[in-house]
Amino acid sequence: MPPTHEVFNQATPLGDYAAADDPALVEGLRREGAEWAEPEVREVGDAAGSERVRAWGESANAYPPVLRTHDRYGHRIDEIDYQPAYHVLMDQAVEHGLHAAPWADERPGAHVARAAKFFLWSQAESGHGCPLSMTYAVVPALRHAPALAEQYEPLLTSRSYDFGLRAPLGKRGLIAGMSMTEKQGGSDVRANTTRAVPTSEGHYLLTGHKWFTSAPMSDFFLTLAQAPEGLSCFLVPQVLPDGSRNALLVQRLKDKLGNHSNASAELEYDGAVAHLVGEPGRGVPTIIEMVNCTRLDCVIGSASGMRAALTHALHHAEHRAAFGRTLVDQPLMRNVLADLALESEAATTLMTRLAGAMDRSVRGDEAEMAFRRLGVAVGKFWVTKRQPVHAAEALECLGGNGYVEESGMPRLFRDSPLNSIWEGSGNVAALDVLRAMGRNPESLEAFLGEVGTASGTDDRFDAALKRLHQTLGDLDEAQYRARSVVELMALTLQASLLLRHAPTPVAEAFTRSRLGGEWGGVFGTLPRGVDTALILDRARPRR
């Protein structure tokens, strides 16, 4: 072969690595009461870090779902064909309990264990995480209808993935979806026009058009519609008990920026049979139970995406040389990588804390309920906002190689904006924080109590905490300033967690850069004196 075709100074394939060998994750798992789950978490991490599972993710995205509205004979079927690897990913995820399994697990820390596994598994492929998340989140909302919950919950928590449109109560396991958004309303769900007409049989008939329905092959959906008493929440099955199809028509699939493995559709209800969940006219408070859980998963998913991007960037930098040294040994590249690692560790640490709050909340801890209400909203705004810029910088660490599909980085970049849009975009999330503080003052008290635990450990943090109290005491033009208020809340919360739980060099690097003003507008502007060696060693993928 001619010497021009000799391959040298290219990074080796990433290969198999132990994704769960992540200090920030393991420390959080133990700290939040799920140390008993560490063996299973490591098992999921070994699979998620394997070439085999990453290949499944590549295939599921290379061949997106295809809508079949009719069968060969002309019958309307409204079915969606997925690449087989999608089903393999779903099967493995359900078997490991990444969906609703924690709701049937009495052990303290069950929701933390599930969060850790979701974080790891999503690093290989994030699109199928959407139906897993909705299945997890539907349970607390469904409990507002005890009779329905008694029938459906055992199948939602089952560890059997039973794909296919059949009568739900005859299946081995169920996947749930959520269908709220309409084209005229977007996040303003109270503007929904879908009508719900009660029948003498005790159910309702729904007529309307939903603009975004993710995972449209789910066994049933929770949806909002206007009943005579006002906006209400309903369970809409795909298949009726007699095996006939409900009147749900898939109009088209969305051609999305990313999230290609997962179908999203426009769905038409044409007199679809539906069952009331919760009180009539109380649809938003009912379905918000589901939304709060999926917002937690938005934080977990974005933290996961950051960790995946960082892993690829670090591996490349350790195996590629420039100007006589490997990239990871070049001072400026070390600054960039350490900055990315710092952002990733802060996101992971916050994610595990919020998962712990979730776990203790469902077990009746009122203080954790109050903290979770505000903490999840703050985390959802901030961590999901940080992922796209993090993904872009990590991609750039690979140079032109990162811009090529085979690297996996373009998929991570395309997927990165989704969690900030899903379940309320940035403005909605920021305004929800203001709403929570106004309606639930105990949540602000709990939040400030959590943040203030680190008082006196770092001068920069103490100054930022003082600014936060001043900011929260002066909320003139609060809506106009909402993003800056929530940003400061998020940074002080992350700093507090790192100061209490991370190695001192990590916490100091965070407070100096994010709170102390020793930071620029892009990654790679950490100040002098930061212990990049320790930060990068904690982040390095291990075999």
Side-chain angles (χ1 to χ4, degrees):
M1 181 177 290
T4 56
H5 288 270
E6 180 184 354
V7 178
F8 63 99
N9 195 29
Q10 285 284 346
T12 60
L14 178 59
D16 296 347
Y17 69 99
D21 200 355
D22 176 348
L25 176 68
V26 174
E27 291 162 10
L29 185 76
R30 296 169 180 170
R31 188 169 59 245
E32 299 298 337
E35 64 280 352
W36 54 265
E38 192 170 331
E40 187 177 356
V41 168
R42 290 190 178 277
E43 180 184 343
V44 171
D46 288 344
S50 69
E51 287 189 323
R52 179 184 82 258
V53 175
R54 286 200 301 278
W56 295 343
E58 291 167 6
S59 295
N61 282 271
Y63 303 97
V66 176
L67 170 63
R68 291 191 299 127
T69 55
H70 297 77
D71 68 10
R72 59 182 291 195
Y73 306 106
H75 302 120
R76 183 91 193 214
I77 57 173
D78 293 282
E79 293 193 359
I80 297 164
D81 291 333
Y82 293 82
Q83 210 278 341
Y86 173 90
H87 296 301
V88 178
L89 288 164
M90 285 291 294
D91 181 74
Q92 293 292 297
V94 170
E95 181 179 323
H96 284 293
L98 274 67
H99 61 318
W103 299 106
D105 192 336
E106 295 296 327
R107 292 174 292 183
H111 292 268
V112 179
R114 181 259 173 192
K117 290 184 283 187
F118 191 83
F119 169 85
L120 292 166
W121 193 249
S122 297
Q123 291 176 38
E125 203 289 309
S126 63
H128 74 293
C130 180
L132 296 172
S133 178
M134 292 189 295
T135 305
Y136 171 66
V138 75
V139 172
L142 195 58
R143 288 177 176 176
H144 287 270
L148 291 174
E150 183 179 1
Q151 291 180 302
Y152 282 87
E153 192 169 323
L155 296 170
L156 291 165
T157 60
S158 164
R159 296 203 179 199
S160 295
Y161 175 60
D162 190 1
F163 182 78
L165 295 183
R166 301 188 300 281
L169 298 182
K171 299 183 71 175
R172 293 178 290 112
L174 298 177
I175 297 296
M178 180 167 51
S179 185
M180 291 199 300
T181 306
E182 296 187 3
K183 52 183 173 287
Q184 78 285 348
S187 296
D188 183 9
V189 294
R190 294 187 185 277
N192 285 7
T193 60
T194 298
R195 302 189 315 279
V197 178
T199 69
S200 58
E201 290 86 2
H203 57 258
Y204 290 72
L205 297 179
L206 269 57
T207 303
H209 185 190
K210 296 297 181 178
W211 190 236
F212 265 102
T213 298
S214 193
M217 284 294 283
S218 299
D219 294 295
F220 69 87
F221 305 99
L222 287 194
T223 193
L224 294 174
Q226 299 286 355
E229 299 86 353
L231 194 63
S232 305
C233 181
F234 297 91
L235 182 153
V236 186
Q238 288 259 30
V239 180
L240 301 175
D242 64 2
S244 63
R245 295 291 181 86
N246 204 355
L248 278 70
L249 307 176
V250 181
Q251 299 300 321
R252 62 172 175 166
L253 299 186
K254 298 291 192 180
D255 186 6
K256 299 173 293 184
L257 168 67
N259 195 242
H260 289 162
S261 67
N262 176 49
S264 297
E266 292 179 33
L267 200 63
E268 187 88 16
Y269 298 140
D270 187 15
V273 172
H275 306 283
L276 182 68
V277 177
E279 298 178 28
R282 298 276 298 165
V284 173
T286 300
I287 210 165
I288 203 70
E289 298 272 6
M290 186 174 185
V291 171
N292 284 336
C293 290
T294 49
R295 283 180 175 173
L296 171 61
D297 277 4
C298 288
V299 179
I300 300 171
S302 286
S304 173
M306 288 189 203
R307 189 67 181 95
L310 176 63
T311 295
H312 284 280
L314 275 169
H315 176 78
H316 178 86
E318 289 177 341
H319 293 85
R320 176 88 161 181
F323 308 109
R325 284 190 283 186
T326 56
L327 291 177
V328 75
D329 292 322
Q330 296 284 359
L332 186 52
M333 181 59 83
R334 287 183 73 79
N335 194 321
V336 172
L337 291 169
D339 213 353
L340 291 171
L342 199 59
E343 193 74 32
S344 175
E345 178 154 350
T348 302
T349 303
L350 176 56
M351 174 271 289
T352 55
R353 175 65 184 95
L354 295 176
M358 174 71 182
D359 192 83
R360 289 182 283 274
S361 293
V362 301
R363 301 178 199 286
D365 188 321
E366 293 187 2
E368 289 290 86
M369 289 181 197
F371 170 71
R372 173 191 163 213
R373 175 67 185 90
L374 205 53
V376 169
V378 169
K380 198 278 185 189
F381 170 82
W382 183 246
V383 176
T384 63
K385 279 287 179 208
R386 297 301 295 159
Q387 188 189 1
V389 65
H390 189 278
E393 194 68 63
L395 182 154
E396 192 173 323
C397 289
L398 278 68
N401 288 329
Y403 205 67
V404 175
E405 288 290 340
E406 291 170 310
S407 71
M409 300 302 284
R411 173 156 61 90
L412 287 171
F413 182 65
R414 285 194 300 270
D415 288 348
S416 66
L418 175 60
N419 286 318
S420 185
I421 297 170
W422 192 34
E423 302 301 17
S425 57
N427 285 354
V428 173
L431 293 173
D432 188 51
V433 172
L434 299 184
R435 227 175 353 258
M437 290 191 294
R439 294 180 180 176
N440 308 102
E442 69 278 4
S443 66
L444 179 58
E445 182 179 348
F447 181 90
L448 292 174
E450 173 75 22
V451 173
T453 308
S455 294
T457 59
D458 181 279
D459 290 343
R460 291 167 293 267
F461 173 76
D462 288 346
L465 186 57
K466 182 178 180 180
R467 290 199 304 274
L468 176 60
H469 281 279
Q470 291 171 341
T471 298
L472 295 175
D474 175 21
L475 289 178
D476 288 343
E477 298 185 283
Q479 290 196 15
Y480 181 80
R481 298 164 48 216
R483 287 191 175 215
S484 59
V485 172
V486 180
E487 176 179 331
L488 182 56
M489 294 174 73
L491 289 173
T492 52
L493 177 57
Q494 286 184 318
S496 176
L497 292 168
L498 293 176
L499 285 166
R500 285 178 280 151
H501 305 305
T504 298
V506 173
E508 286 186 350
F510 190 89
T511 59
R512 288 181 64 188
S513 57
R514 274 65 172 174
L515 299 180
E518 298 181 70
W519 201 37
V522 296
F523 285 107
T525 54
L526 292 174
R528 288 182 291 183
V530 167
D531 190 344
T532 59
L534 182 142
I535 293 170
L536 292 177
D537 185 62
R538 285 174 65 81
R540 184 168 287 110
R542 292 166 171 83
R543 310 296 168 184

